[in-house]
Amino acid sequence: GDSVTQMEGPVTLSEEAFLTINCTYTATGYPSLFWYVQYPGEGLQLLLKATKADDKGSNKGFEATYRKETTSFHLEKGSVQVSDSAVYFCALSKGGGANSKLTFGKGITLSVRP
Amino acid sequence: DAGVIQSPRHEVTEMGQEVTLRCKPISGHDYLFWYRQTMMRGLELLIYFNNNVPIDDSGMPEDRFSAKMPNASFSTLKIQPSEPRDSAVYFCASSFIGTAGGYTFGSGTRLTVV
């Protein structure tokens, strides 16, 4: 079945450091790919998405490129802030109809220190 | 738009008691999902509905769990009888077919069974 694999965490960085969080997927067909973020005590929020190969999703300084050849969707940010401390989830979806559900990775906790 | 509304935010109950969690999806969304989040197992999809009809309940852990969606604006997740291992954060999310997996999550219900 479909699956999403995220790098092991947690990750601790200093403010203004460069961030990369790895995500790879296994799926048949052409899934859409997502990054969700969960701040402490809150629900998940959609951070960015890409719906086809070579698409780049971006939001709030975060970017991720849909790489079909490597089945990857790594999340990057050039300069992290303390406010980016949260749990980050990579996910995939096959789209509408009976395949509408999201498959999530296990999530990774990011802590950014001042 | 008030987003996806869940109630209660916190629930503490004794083992053996019935627990009912409630969710109001975003108006116009035709998919509703119930997830459970624990440290050990991460995010687990319990069940999801399309146009108020249950589509996939294979994630419901056992017969003690049941979910209903009597109309487009309301869903419940019931646990009876509750057990300590049911302690978790339960999230409701809704989406529209056109968003290709871009869910909106509620803030969750933190359930503690003692």
Side-chain angles (χ1 to χ4, degrees):
Chain A
D2 300 339
S3 66
V4 175
T5 302
Q6 294 186 231
M7 58 185 282
E8 294 287 329
V11 173
T12 302
L13 296 173
S14 296
E15 202 165 25
E16 299 184 359
F18 184 84
L19 168 72
T20 299
I21 300 178
N22 290 343
C23 171
T24 58
Y25 68 90
T26 301
T28 57
Y30 302 94
S32 296
L33 302 174
F34 305 82
W35 277 100
Y36 278 80
V37 58
Q38 184 180 27
Y39 298 103
E42 299 183 10
L44 281 72
Q45 303 174 23
L46 178 63
L47 180 60
L48 53 85
K49 70 177 182 181
T51 57
K52 61 183 186 296
D54 300 325
D55 268 3
K56 178 185 285 187
S58 61
N59 186 26
K60 299 182 181 179
F62 290 90
E63 293 183 341
T65 301
Y66 189 144
R67 302 287 189 198
K68 189 163 179 64
E69 64 276 13
T70 55
T71 62
S72 65
F73 193 54
H74 304 324
L75 182 68
E76 297 182 336
K77 187 175 185 181
S79 175
V80 294
Q81 306 299 312
V82 172
S83 57
D84 294 327
S85 299
V87 181
Y88 291 81
F89 294 89
C90 186
L92 70 81
S93 169
K94 291 284 192 63
N99 293 324
S100 295
K101 62 182 180 180
L102 276 171
T103 299
F104 285 95
K106 291 188 179 299
I108 185 169
T109 300
L110 170 66
S111 297
V112 180
R113 53 177 182 251
Chain B
D1 193 336
V4 176
I5 300 172
Q6 291 187 247
S7 64
R9 285 299 306 272
H10 303 274
E11 177 80 36
V12 180
T13 191
E14 292 186 346
M15 183 173 63
Q17 296 298 305
E18 176 181 301
V19 176
T20 299
L21 312 181
R22 297 173 176 80
C23 174
K24 177 179 170 56
I26 290 176
S27 176
H29 281 192
D30 52 356
Y31 284 87
L32 184 139
F33 306 82
W34 283 100
Y35 281 86
R36 178 171 68 176
Q37 186 179 39
T38 61
M39 289 294 292
M40 291 296 294
R41 301 171 70 93
L43 272 168
E44 302 173 276
L45 176 63
L46 301 178
I47 185 171
Y48 78 98
F49 297 82
N50 176 221
N51 292 323
N52 314 336
V53 176
I55 302 300
D56 184 352
D57 66 353
S58 59
M60 296 286 262
E62 46 196 280
D63 292 345
R64 297 185 297 106
F65 286 69
S66 62
K68 295 182 180 180
M69 192 166 185
N71 56 63
S73 58
F74 184 66
S75 177
T76 60
L77 178 68
K78 184 178 294 186
I79 308 172
Q80 181 184 21
S82 58
E83 297 182 3
R85 60 194 168 117
D86 302 329
S87 297
V89 181
Y90 291 81
F91 288 105
C92 175
S94 69
S95 74
F96 175 65
I97 187 171
T99 60
Y103 296 5
T104 301
F105 279 79
S107 298
T109 295
R110 181 173 295 278
L111 173 65
T112 303
V113 183
V114 298

